[in-house]
Amino acid sequence: MRKRIGWLTLLLLLIFGIFLSLTVGTIPLGLNDLLHVFQRTASTSQQLIVFDFRFPRLLVSILAGMGLAVSGYLFQTITHNDLADPGILGINAGAGLTVLIYLGFFATGESSWFLPLIACAGSFIATGLVYYFGRQSKRITPNRLLLAGVAVNAGISALTLIGTMRVSKDNYQFVTSWLAGTIWGTTRQHVLLLLPWIICLLPLVLLRGRSLEVLELGDEVAVGLGVKLKRTQLFFLVCAVCLAAASVAIAGSISFIGLIAPHIARQLTGKKNNQTLVMTALIGGLLLLFSDILARVILPSGEMAAGIIVSLIGAPYFILRLLKRS
């Protein structure tokens, strides 16, 4: 019963969030205006606002939130650490650093088809550093991995800050807003850059969902049940890194969604399975979608970055989970 109520609530929130995302902004639109837009009877300016500005922004919010949430779910399962998150472990920071170098020194500030691949390279470098510093006597413990991730995240963030100060004045504002996790200014090109990663990797993870359930039981149990442990872990690790990197490359450096969404989904479903994974993706999309909506209206003039709103929610949640874990 609780699971059905949870699904219904999430679907209603999704419908409500889509409506708000298309109507809330500097130029507000009503329900009648929105209906006229979809009937192609609205003014040219209103159609431009909805189809060229707000609709791509809506899709990027949902897709990036889904990617970050599923990435966090996979990291928590692989590491057996419910505090694991691509942002906390430094995965997002690694993607952010390489994207910053590319945008700040080699590009004109516009996205290209190389952007997710560049972000993936940085994320894999960060993953390698976390693994190297997190291992202890050839055995990785969850707490040591978390501490290594925090350290790598801090170091890469410092390098990113230095890189921000070295970029040209023309790219400085663009880079700093991107690092803050702003979704303002996203276009159809950004949607097309992110969409293939989500629609390819998410079904792959779902197809291997049974193996993911077995990994949750522990490494020794998984080996005893016939799971090829290292190969399976490597598969899910690559999927997690790519999902986080592609999302960060398009939506900016956003943390804590991968931490919050899996916990809420597990509380609603009671266990980890494919249904929990899908719910995690939906919750992640909703978190970033409503954070973006709130970022539009929280200031009397202008907008706040959605990544800041997510951090304001996620940082206290992380501390509470850490205290509970202790």
Side-chain angles (χ1 to χ4, degrees), residues 90 131 138:
Y131 175 80
K138 298 183 180 181

Side-chain angles (χ1 to χ4, degrees), residues 285-296:
L286 288 173
L287 282 172
L288 190 52
L289 176 61
F290 279 96
S291 296
D292 180 51
I293 295 170
L294 184 61
R296 304 182 200 180

